[in-house]
Amino acid sequence: MTLSRVLLATSALIAPGAAYAQTPVQSAPPSAIAPDPSIQEDPDTAGELDEVVVLGRFIPEPNRESAEVAAFLTAEDLERTGDSSAAGALARVTGLTVVEGRFVYVRGLGERYSSALLNGSPLPSPEPLQRVVPLDLFPSSVLESVTVQKSYSVDFPGEFGGGVIDLRTIDAPNEPFFSMSASIGGNTETTNKEGLIYFGSRTDFTGFDDGTRDIPEPLALAFARGVPVNSANVEAQELQRIGQSLVNAPLRLLQRGTTPVNFGFDLAGGLKSDSSIGTFGLIAVAGYGNNWSTRNGVQEEAQFSGSVLVPVTSKAFESNQNDIQLNFLGGMSLVTDNSEYRWTNFYVRNVTKEARISVGPDFDAGGEIQRTDFTEWYERQLFSSQLAGEHEFMDGALEFAWRGAYALTERNAPYETRFEYGVDASGEFLHEIGGNRISFSELDDDIVSGGADLSYTLPLSDYRDAVFSVGVAWSDNNRDAERRDLQFVPASTLTEEQRRSRVDFLYSDFNIGPTGLILSEVTGSAGSGAAAYSAQLEVAAAYVQVDAEFIPLVRTTFGVRYEDGYQSVTTRDLFGGAAPFAPTEIEEQYFLPSFTATWNFAEDEQLRLGASQTIGRPQFRELAPQSYTDPETDREFTGNPFLVDTEILNLDARYEWFFARQQYLTAGVFYKDLDKPVEATIVTSGNARQQSFLNSPQATIYGAEIEAKKYFEFPDSGSSFIANKRWLVQANYTWSDSEVHVEAGDVVRTPGGGGADEDATFFIEDGSRLQGQSEHVANLQLGWEDDTARSQATIIVNYVSERISARGAGGAGNREPDYIQDPGVFVDFVYRKDFEYAGRDLGFALELRNLLNTEFDEFQELGNKILINNYELGSSATVSLTARF
């Protein structure tokens, strides 16, 4: 179905609206619009009726202002659920699911089909595997609201599949305030239990180390030479000094210790002040959090044994992870009679310090038991600075808005270490010297962006307007990623004593030298892969849009966006050789139309219809043929430089009934047609497995959503506990289904095939579900509010059904089943109470999470259930106290 036919059919639906003509009601009750008997009817206009304007006093302002299908999280919603980050809060929105606690899936479409904006400006990502910024980086304390727009409008970027998530930071308050809060919490799987640790540095608890993890100067000088650091390029004595300069015991020796409690604190303040040129505003928010999580689980890999799957590698793993987050938001604003200026700066640093052990049979080693120890330190940080302005002219009829932003994310992973052990006849672990690695990797990703919007409001009548808008936008996203891998190679066979020694003893200065352990760089080169790549995405766009109520009661918004996009990924050989792979370049131009009609057919009821065409671009990591191990899953990824853009047709319809203040019922349906969607797939080479990506030929997704929110009051109840409260029931449910379509003659292009056309039916099964799509997503909130006691309590239930996380390996007739993730059911409880003590306004909160102790479960199933990644999450509790001044 072409979009032009869809738009024609949709526009036909609004024609009957021209027949409506009544006296204007403008949100007034029926008694207010009765005819005045003192007013005589003009005989020249007898029989003619005025237009009708039905707005509805219960329709919330965001829903009234938006012409699109959208969901809105207000500051009140964020406070009620008590979620600490934007990612957690968005899990409560209809049709949204959160993966790995960081990435938001909208209507079953992966994070690549959603874009995140901060105050309308795009953001870069510190994640090697994603171009989409993880939303756990945004603490809820800095957010005023979150908008999830599910139908497309041309004033947003054209990369749109599931939705656009616009995070709006808090602004300067009308009244000065200052608040402080502190929290403490724990988890049943982690807190006060023995867990893996390693020392690191003395200042790790701050989120910054004391320089221990800096690349040693001798090694940095060797890296700068542009040749591999090994005995062929570096003299023996110098190589010995470089090896001895690497930090040993603090970053390699795993120990056990008692895991402490989680804790954090936040500070916030703001004010406004009048001056001769306008009203100045200041806002500042700062926070610190220190949390621990222990995982004990199983990771398996399988192969066919006849017609069933059997595990060939089954490893038990233990991980203890310390997450430290620091964040700061600072903003200034100036408001004059006709203008508003805002300067917003946001900084967040999220550090993960992790110690892990994996033990189990290794298939490549003939089934022998093998142990691998890991120590890791991942620094992720984001800085964004935005300057924006809004101006009114011609008594507000002409509005001009502009924005400019710079955002930088960095991911630094120094001293990732891996040490392997075999087992002797007595069951004692011995060093397998060939399995040691010490890695240094860096990723820098920045975006420079700007935009301007001009709108003119033309009155069509006393009650109806037409808004004509034009705008331009530009963004330039650049990424640079580099990884260096080192290994100690023995000059001769290790002695039995050395193989049994402690890791810091084996790799001590005494054993490093020409006759002992020799440092050798094993970074990928031209013959074995790309160790570095540079990437760019530059998009220039312009749009025109009309938002008008040409027909009474029917608001139509239509327009077209033009985007000129250039995306490239260039691999680099760090040692001056030819690039391992030819540069990947995708240069496309698109005209992206959109149409939405909102029929306000009753005072508090609306019907929305929408149609649009949008795109999805492959992410940098998906295009970069550089191997990378994901620490979350221990799965190795490699990109596909032959991926192309996805083109998407979007259709939406939604009914909205706001029957009382803050109470509503909505129901909708949606349909999406995706041409060449990108999906993850498992590929094998011998016994080794990697996760790569390909363009499936086509896919469709369709579904229905329903959401309701209702308050109940029982003032005549005999119980004061019930009578003094307003009781809340809020629920939403999304059902969706999807199909990937492939038929004879369809082709795909993979790295293994060198970019040549390959039979798509070998890799993809026709009729299978789209990756990431869950058939059922449901949320339920039950609670009460007591204004007299200044208290609030909510039970929160979240359910997400199974979804495909990766396509199974193999070919037609012998394909493994897909990897399935089963998120399951989560039940939380949040209680809040405000009170006064010693003349201070205080707030207490209790949060209980995952009360059902739901586990993380990713598996394959064919005859046997293969536990791809399975571990307990535990239940957690947090209490906090806030003081307001």
Side-chain angles (χ1 to χ4, degrees), residues 509 682 784 859:
D509 291 353
I682 302 298
W784 49 257
F859 62 92

Side-chain angles (χ1 to χ4, degrees), residues 626-873:
Q626 179 193 47
S627 294
Y628 171 79
T629 300
D630 179 11
E632 288 285 332
T633 61
D634 284 335
R635 201 173 297 155
E636 189 173 355
F637 288 76
T638 186
N640 179 0
F642 308 109
L643 297 177
V644 298
D645 293 348
T646 303
E647 298 186 29
I648 308 167
L649 168 67
N650 310 277
L651 301 177
D652 285 274
R654 185 162 81 165
Y655 163 75
E656 301 173 349
W657 177 28
F658 299 91
F659 51 83
R661 188 178 69 87
Q662 297 181 329
Q663 302 176 67
Y664 53 81
L665 171 68
T666 69
V669 294
F670 60 88
Y671 172 85
K672 296 179 184 292
D673 188 298
L674 295 86
D675 182 44
K676 295 183 173 58
V678 176
E679 295 197 286
T681 183
I682 302 298
V683 295
T684 60
S685 177
N687 293 325
R689 288 170 176 251
Q690 287 187 328
Q691 187 163 318
S692 190
F693 309 90
L694 53 75
N695 286 109
S696 295
Q698 193 209 11
T700 56
I701 181 170
Y702 47 90
E705 301 174 331
I706 186 169
E707 181 173 18
K709 182 179 181 180
K710 171 66 177 174
Y711 285 105
F712 296 90
E713 297 184 62
F714 306 96
D716 299 327
S717 171
S719 168
S720 60
F721 178 81
I722 296 176
N724 293 338
K725 294 175 174 60
R726 188 167 70 147
W727 298 83
L728 167 72
V729 177
Q730 182 174 352
N732 61 65
Y733 169 71
T734 301
W735 171 85
S736 61
D737 197 4
S738 63
E739 289 186 12
V740 177
H741 305 290
V742 57
E743 57 187 31
D746 286 336
V747 298
V748 297
R749 294 180 177 180
T750 68
D757 289 347
E758 299 177 78
D759 185 0
T761 60
F762 183 84
F763 298 90
I764 306 161
E765 182 179 356
D766 182 53
S768 58
R769 270 194 298 163
L770 189 67
Q771 182 187 325
Q773 182 258 327
S774 295
E775 186 175 3
H776 307 285
V777 178
N779 290 283
L780 174 67
Q781 294 185 36
L782 303 172
W784 49 257
E785 299 173 354
D786 190 331
D787 292 337
T788 303
R790 301 172 65 189
S791 62
Q792 181 186 83
T794 313
I795 297 173
I796 306 164
V797 183
N798 173 250
Y799 168 69
V800 180
S801 65
E802 295 179 354
R803 58 187 171 220
I804 297 172
S805 56
R807 296 290 177 199
N814 192 35
R815 182 183 296 110
E816 293 181 4
D818 296 330
Y819 285 18
I820 302 296
Q821 185 183 352
D822 185 9
V825 180
F826 285 81
V827 177
D828 302 337
F829 174 76
V830 178
Y831 173 77
R832 297 183 179 278
K833 180 175 178 57
D834 291 341
F835 59 97
E836 290 188 1
Y837 180 78
R840 297 293 185 191
D841 191 16
L842 303 177
F844 169 81
L846 169 67
E847 300 173 20
L848 305 177
R849 304 290 182 185
N850 194 19
L851 294 176
L852 298 182
N853 198 27
T854 300
E855 64 182 14
F856 182 91
D857 188 17
E858 184 181 20
F859 62 92
Q860 283 180 294
E861 194 163 18
L862 185 62
N864 297 300
K865 183 176 181 179
I866 309 300
L867 303 179
I868 301 298
N869 197 18
N870 180 279
Y871 55 86
E872 297 289 341
L873 294 170

